[in-house]
Amino acid sequence: QVQLVESGGGLVQAGGSLRLSCAASGRTFSNYAMGWFRQAPGKEREFVAAITWISGPTYYANYVQGRFTISRDNAKNTLYLQMNSLKPEDTAVYYCAAPPVWQTTMLHSVKTYAYWGQGTQVTVSS
């Protein structure tokens, strides 16, 4: 069974940085794309970033492009999200996610993903 566990969230001032991690287990990590999503109170879960299976192409939402970087260490079965120049509007619970099958399309869609972590809270103060 696939398990995803996020860590690294916290409270940071605007302009600061955080690095989120997602430890994966239960299947061959390197074979699958991975994604990061976030959900603020009262809002729908939204796409943040995704990376394909062999650390190939990466994809970002417009509102994080140039500030966030997604990466993966397949040897450690770990996904990362480096977040720089954080803004108060980045405040949310951040989730990592994995699709049920190998794919490289529609990685921005919540519906693509079958496995989700429990989330980690990121709070950016102004």
Side-chain angles (χ1 to χ4, degrees), residues 32-33 38 43 57 66 69-70 82 92 100 110 116-117:
Y32 299 88
R38 68 187 186 186
K43 295 187 177 181
T69 302
I70 187 172
Q82 178 67 43
V110 170
W116 296 84

Side-chain angles (χ1 to χ4, degrees), residues 42-88:
K43 295 187 177 181
E44 293 187 352
R45 193 167 297 190
E46 63 180 10
F47 172 71
V48 174
I51 186 167
T52 52
W53 64 292
I54 201 167
S55 292
T58 56
Y59 306 92
Y60 296 94
N62 290 339
Y63 34 83
V64 304
Q65 180 78 48
R67 300 187 297 123
F68 291 11
T69 302
I70 187 172
S71 63
R72 64 192 300 164
D73 185 335
N74 291 332
K76 295 182 177 180
N77 289 351
T78 302
L79 178 72
Y80 301 102
L81 184 68
Q82 178 67 43
M83 305 186 296
N84 298 329
S85 302
L86 283 161
K87 304 175 181 180

Side-chain angles (χ1 to χ4, degrees), residues 1-4 23-29 32 34 97-100 114-116:
Q1 183 174 352
V2 176
Q3 290 190 326
L4 304 172
S25 62
R27 68 181 185 187
T28 304
F29 176 74
Y32 299 88
M34 297 287 293
Y115 305 106
W116 296 84

